[in-house]
Amino acid sequence: MQKRIHTQGELFDELRKLPDEDRDHLMLARYDGGIFLETILEKEHDYGLAIRDYSNRQLVIAFGMLKDGASMEETLRKIRTEY
């Protein structure tokens, strides 16, 4: 699965619809072409956030930061410590 996400609202709607078992297999990933909700293909990855590790709120905040150009490290630090 790979679905491009355009807005925080769209991401929130997708996250709410996900069954719990699907959260284990998906991540929010940023590429040059945009931000995508996609299947995790590699055990270790540094270009995305595993959906299972974060709340919907954290992921929506992370989406906004990534869309605004924040680095993955900066995004992780902020959502882990402030949210």
Side-chain angles (χ1 to χ4, degrees), residues 26-44:
L26 296 174
M27 71 177 182
L28 188 65
R30 179 176 61 189
Y31 299 104
D32 291 339
I35 300 174
F36 295 82
L37 191 58
E38 68 176 26
T39 303
I40 296 173
L41 299 176
E42 303 168 357
K43 185 173 176 98
E44 298 294 325

Side-chain angles (χ1 to χ4, degrees), residues 3 10-11 14 16-17 19 25 32 34 41-43 47 49-50 55 62 64-66 73-74 78-81:
K3 180 175 183 177
E10 180 183 0
L11 174 62
E14 289 294 327
R16 286 190 322 181
K17 292 188 286 186
H25 308 288
D32 291 339
L41 299 176
E42 303 168 357
K43 185 173 176 98
Y47 55 91
L49 304 170
S55 69
M65 292 180 68
L66 292 170
E73 295 80 21
E74 178 184 0
K78 184 144 182 134
I79 66 171
R80 286 179 178 162
T81 59

Side-chain angles (χ1 to χ4, degrees), residues 3-80:
K3 180 175 183 177
R4 185 169 184 192
I5 304 295
H6 297 92
T7 66
Q8 288 175 311
E10 180 183 0
L11 174 62
F12 185 68
D13 289 343
E14 289 294 327
L15 292 170
R16 286 190 322 181
K17 292 188 286 186
L18 280 179
D20 287 340
E21 59 272 7
D22 287 352
R23 290 182 76 94
D24 289 340
H25 308 288
L26 296 174
M27 71 177 182
L28 188 65
R30 179 176 61 189
Y31 299 104
D32 291 339
I35 300 174
F36 295 82
L37 191 58
E38 68 176 26
T39 303
I40 296 173
L41 299 176
E42 303 168 357
K43 185 173 176 98
E44 298 294 325
H45 54 273
D46 59 357
Y47 55 91
L49 304 170
I51 300 298
R52 68 177 172 262
D53 296 337
Y54 303 96
S55 69
N56 289 355
R57 182 173 189 258
Q58 287 174 309
L59 291 164
V60 169
I61 291 166
F63 175 88
M65 292 180 68
L66 292 170
K67 192 166 185 175
D68 288 342
S71 69
M72 189 61 68
E73 295 80 21
E74 178 184 0
T75 301
L76 286 170
R77 185 173 45 255
K78 184 144 182 134
I79 66 171
R80 286 179 178 162

